Amino acid sequence: MSLFDFFFPKKPASASIAKERLQIVLAHERADRDRPDFLPRLQKELLAVVTKYVAVEEDMIRVSLGKAGNASVLEINVEVPHTAITGPARAVPA
Amino acid sequence: MGKTTTSAAFAAGLALRGHKTVVIDFDVGLRNLDLVMGCERRVVFDFINVINGDATLNQALIRDKRIDSLYIFPTSQTRDKEALKREGVDWVMRELRNDFEYVICDSPAGIEHGALTALYHADAAIIVTNPEVSSVRDSDRIIGILAARSRRAEKRESPVEEHLLLTRYSPERVKKGEMLSVDDVKEILSLPLLGIIPESPTVLRASNTGIPVILDAESPAGRAYEDAVARFVGEQREMRFSLPERRSFLRGWFGRAAT
């Protein structure tokens, strides 16, 4: 590295920044595109059922559809806070 | 992005090769193909008139004065965007398919009714993209919609044939790292490349005068469109305009005055 380069570092070309940003945003959008539209509804209904028994927030339930080999995998993750189980029992609406 | 310029150039290019071609404006309320084709004073009836039964298809089609086998089908200036009724458009497209070798549908921007109607009947789609983040992202979105909402997708037929056309390309700026390169865009969208249209002042001159740029023998963009049309019909053409023009010493000094 010459002394000149040291004092005047080259900025990365804006075209390569553009490419990188596009690749990231499009990867997300393409994943969303293939999502069946019942997933948000499923997530809402699951949340309604789970909150009857444990206090969970909306963002603690994640529903996703993935692929494993030839099969599609419906993955449901429910994050249960420690206090929701050990804490005082909540009134459960009938 | 150059959709109307491209539609006009492709329609003229195909007609010049002897194919009976019609170019349809799908941008209801924002009619512009007539201006680009230079026939704005000859519009009497339009797409909506035909759909509503107020005029026949033949009354609405405008025959180009320069090329015998070329026809223009203008859209309406109505503000009712939903005026392109499904059954009416289906009927018009069936009629045109029977009468013409090529039916070019000039899609409006966006993903609203007009654009969805324009892409619905497509057998082949030319995705016109600028080497710019917003344009590339929108193109990706349209590619997704083509795969999901076209007639071919609905009827589970073979998918719409897709082509990438990169417009307003400046090899000099690509070389400096200021613009996405053709390879970048190809890689991001993973589409086969139909052509590169160089940024050129002659494109504005063409629309100013109402002459499709492909008819301008002096225009680099016109030559690039000619190559793209040739590739579209299956000819092999070398990809020009992807590298900066080599300027001779003299052209470097005097070229500016000549262009």
Side-chain angles (χ1 to χ4, degrees), chain A residues 66-84:
Chain A
K67 274 211 172 101
N70 281 334
S72 291
V73 177
L74 180 65
E75 198 178 308
I76 299 170
N77 277 299
V78 185
E79 189 185 319
V80 180
H82 192 58
T83 52

Side-chain angles (χ1 to χ4, degrees), chain A residues 1 4 7 9-10 18 29 35 40 47 53-54 56 58 71 84 86 91:
Chain A
M1 190 196 265
F4 183 84
F7 285 111
K10 259 194 205 157
E29 287 179 353
R35 238 165 81 121
L47 181 75
Y53 304 95
V54 226
V56 294
E58 196 174 343
T86 57

Side-chain angles (χ1 to χ4, degrees), chain B residues 202-229:
Chain B
T202 56
V203 174
L204 184 58
R205 185 169 76 204
S207 72
N208 281 345
T209 50
I211 300 166
V213 70
I214 203 166
L215 298 180
D216 181 350
E218 317 262 284
S219 162
R223 303 289 62 71
Y225 272 118
E226 203 177 72
D227 287 352
V229 172

